[in-house]
Amino acid sequence: MSRRARAAAFAAAALVCAGLSAGLTGGYRADVADQLGPLRPVLVARQPLPAGRVLEPEALGRATEIRRVPSRFAPPGALVAASQAVGLAPAAPIPAGAYVLADQLDAPAAERQRQEPRLDSGRRPVEIMVAAAGALTTGSARGRRVDVVVTTEPGPGGGPGRTYVAAEDVELLDLRSAGGNAPSQAVPGSPAETWMATLALTRAQALRLIQAESFARSVRLIPL
């Protein structure tokens, strides 16, 4: 075989090998994608992020980077862009190499104080579970005044339960479904019809309602 023929044969063999290699690599990548899910961006700390220090755009550009990892390896709540962390502060130190998660970040202390509702003297925010919230479940309920009505279970003799106002004319600070959704996202007839209400209560009202949650048939909010 001539030198030119051998060169042509080697070139053809090289092309065949390259094609086989590409096919195997593509198949391997497809198998990995099927098993681990597609790649998704996540925000990772390149440098330690101290607790309580507000994250500014310039600092985030130096201290974080975007990496692409299989969806199966991305933890819940992982941020996908540095802009999502701007203006927030880590609640605890985030070490270098760690994912930056939404649950790790919080508004600065001064901002939290500004956002917290101003309560009358002697009142504190108390969260209770209510079985119905009526018209309060549509639109924004914050700041509304409500009565909290409790219906007890029937007595030992089988008589009807008692219905009474356990807290009168109190401020509703927040209302969300027990499933964590906003009121407008709840599906009628689902467990989300149970609501978590945050109310501005006196100590006596709070104790009365906390006790009622243990034995009442239902606790309801009636808007005023």
Side-chain angles (χ1 to χ4, degrees):
M1 181 181 295
S2 67
R3 182 178 301 176
R4 181 175 296 179
R6 288 197 300 271
F10 286 140
L15 289 173
V16 171
C17 290
L20 291 173
S21 176
L24 290 173
T25 301
Y28 174 74
R29 289 176 178 173
D31 289 342
V32 171
D34 290 341
Q35 295 176 17
L36 305 180
L39 297 179
R40 55 160 290 186
V42 292
L43 187 66
V44 176
R46 288 195 297 182
Q47 302 173 9
L49 301 178
R53 180 178 297 176
V54 178
L55 300 173
E56 303 293 345
E58 185 176 349
L60 281 166
R62 294 192 307 267
T64 64
E65 64 180 352
I66 298 296
R67 296 179 186 171
R68 298 182 66 83
V69 300
S71 297
R72 180 174 294 184
F73 294 153
L79 302 188
V80 299
S83 59
Q84 294 178 298
V86 172
L88 302 177
I94 300 176
Y99 296 108
V100 182
L101 309 179
D103 290 345
Q104 296 173 315
L105 306 178
D106 200 356
E111 180 68 12
R112 290 199 304 272
Q113 292 176 359
R114 187 184 68 80
Q115 293 176 351
E116 288 178 354
R118 297 180 180 274
L119 304 182
D120 296 336
S121 177
R123 294 183 182 270
R124 297 290 184 270
V126 178
E127 188 175 73
I128 64 170
M129 183 175 291
V130 298
L136 295 167
T137 61
T138 59
S140 176
R142 295 183 181 182
R144 296 284 300 272
R145 309 295 298 191
V146 299
D147 286 343
V148 187
V149 178
V150 173
T151 299
T152 65
E153 294 286 356
R162 184 168 70 98
T163 299
Y164 64 95
V165 178
E168 184 176 1
D169 191 15
V170 297
E171 182 180 1
L172 179 61
L173 303 177
D174 189 32
L175 180 67
R176 67 182 190 281
S177 75
N181 298 319
S184 60
Q185 297 174 325
V187 178
S190 71
E193 284 191 302
T194 301
W195 305 90
M196 298 303 298
T198 304
L199 302 166
L201 303 176
T202 63
R203 177 179 173 82
Q205 290 171 331
L207 292 175
R208 194 157 56 240
L209 284 173
I210 290 172
Q211 183 182 18
E213 281 188 293
S214 302
F215 63 81
R217 173 183 292 179
S218 68
V219 179
R220 297 172 179 264
L221 299 183
I222 306 297
L224 299 181

